[in-house]
Amino acid sequence: AYVREAFDLYRDALETGVLPENGYLSGFNYKNIIRLGTALGELAWTENFLHTSRDILHPAERDMLFTYNLAYWYFQQQDYNRALPLLQQVDFEDPLNNLDVRRMLLRSYVELEEYSALDSLLQSFGAYLRRQKNLGYHRKNNEKLLFFVKKLLETDRKGRAALRAEVEATQDVAERAWLLEKLRSG
């Protein structure tokens, strides 16, 4: 219910022109509106907003934000082939957005069975986590994700139940619901 309420508030604010500051829509608001619209299944409206609001993003971040959010939109439709090339173009200074991009890449590679690219990403993602000193709990959550994805790749069908139990027993794993689904279905 709160997702719908937040989405409706954003839409009202857009219609009344309240959101843009100094003529620009913040990347934070742009991202939130797209996340909310996608979560609610407002796909046509969200895709239209994604494209039509691009011009009111600040020019310094416009291309990166548009590419990132378009990749997210495709990713949420499970259109990994269209999301991947966009995700590969995105490079944020912000570590949390960077983590989000890396997790979408990881999941896309798994879903598309692109194991060579996945192996390379697992290595670079791990190195990124070790280098970044300002991630707080996000570091551990993502390290656990990498650990379990590596185990998933090494585990045969018979071992999946045990690995699923291990994931279920582990707190604070990034992409936990996706991992459990992969272990259930795969």
Side-chain angles (χ1 to χ4, degrees):
Y2 292 113
V3 173
R4 170 56 67 187
E5 188 174 331
F7 181 69
D8 289 342
L9 286 170
Y10 271 118
R11 279 183 27 176
D12 291 345
L14 285 167
E15 288 173 12
T16 59
V18 175
L19 277 182
E21 294 179 30
N22 300 319
Y24 297 114
L25 179 65
S26 79
F28 178 78
N29 286 331
Y30 185 67
K31 178 181 172 181
N32 281 349
I33 293 166
I34 292 164
R35 298 296 188 274
L36 292 167
T38 303
L40 290 167
E42 298 269 359
L43 301 179
W45 185 94
T46 303
E47 183 181 24
N48 183 57
F49 168 79
L50 178 70
H51 290 280
T52 59
S53 296
R54 178 182 185 171
D55 291 340
I56 59 172
L57 296 170
H58 193 281
E61 59 183 8
R62 179 178 296 146
D63 291 339
M64 190 70 62
L65 286 170
F66 176 76
T67 302
Y68 169 59
N69 285 288
L70 182 59
Y72 173 83
W73 193 83
Y74 286 133
F75 179 83
Q76 291 301 94
Q77 322 298 311
Q78 298 179 349
D79 190 346
Y80 306 114
N81 287 314
R82 290 176 85 179
L84 262 177
L86 296 169
L87 290 168
Q88 292 166 340
Q89 295 174 39
V90 177
D91 185 24
F92 281 109
E93 289 182 23
D94 173 62
L96 297 182
N97 282 336
N98 232 319
L99 290 174
D100 188 39
V101 168
R102 290 169 191 268
R103 286 191 306 268
M104 284 191 282
L105 280 167
L106 181 144
R107 287 180 54 184
S108 296
Y109 289 144
V110 169
E111 296 298 341
L112 295 171
E113 299 179 357
E114 295 282 349
Y115 297 120
S116 178
L118 176 61
D119 185 53
S120 178
L121 177 66
L122 289 169
Q123 291 177 31
S124 67
F125 197 166
Y128 178 80
L129 292 172
R130 287 187 296 278
R131 280 193 320 269
Q132 296 299 311
K133 303 300 181 203
N134 58 343
L135 295 177
Y137 67 90
H138 297 287
R139 175 191 319 277
K140 286 284 184 218
N141 293 2
N142 284 280
E143 287 173 341
K144 291 176 189 176
L145 169 64
L146 297 183
F147 173 79
F148 284 122
V149 168
K150 288 174 186 175
K151 284 186 87 165
L152 171 67
L153 297 173
E154 298 167 354
T155 303
D156 62 12
R157 287 196 176 277
K158 294 177 187 175
R160 296 254 169 128
L163 182 55
R164 181 175 170 75
E166 189 178 348
V167 173
E168 287 174 338
T170 304
Q171 296 298 310
D172 304 319
V173 178
E175 304 294 340
R176 187 172 191 265
W178 171 78
L179 270 171
L180 291 171
E181 181 59 34
K182 290 306 294 178
L183 288 164
R184 181 179 303 116
S185 65

